[in-house]
Amino acid sequence: MFYLLGMDCGSEAATIQKELGHIPGEINLWEEMSGMQFLKFMAKFRGMKDMGRCEEN
């Protein structure tokens, strides 16, 4: 078994993903969409309310 953040990667994958987030290695962005626009789009899609980390430099 593998553990991350003290959670079982097999049975608690959804919870781990919520804590860490995930951006796939191969991102196919629309040409007119910036990386920041993509992050905001995905956050809205997932129902995230706190966008504070998106604004960090």
Side-chain angles (χ1 to χ4, degrees):
M1 288 190 189
F2 295 99
Y3 290 89
L4 188 60
L5 301 174
M7 293 178 266
D8 182 310
C9 292
S11 64
E12 299 178 271
T15 304
I16 293 170
Q17 185 176 351
K18 285 181 182 178
E19 291 292 321
L20 294 179
H22 173 75
I23 298 178
E26 295 181 25
I27 300 175
N28 293 319
L29 298 176
W30 296 275
E31 286 190 26
E32 63 277 355
M33 184 180 281
S34 70
M36 181 61 70
Q37 288 170 324
F38 176 76
L39 290 175
K40 289 180 178 181
F41 168 79
M42 290 304 297
K44 184 176 180 180
F45 177 77
R46 290 180 168 252
M48 296 173 65
K49 305 288 185 218
D50 181 9
M51 296 296 296
R53 300 277 320 258
C54 280
E55 303 301 329
E56 291 181 15
N57 290 322

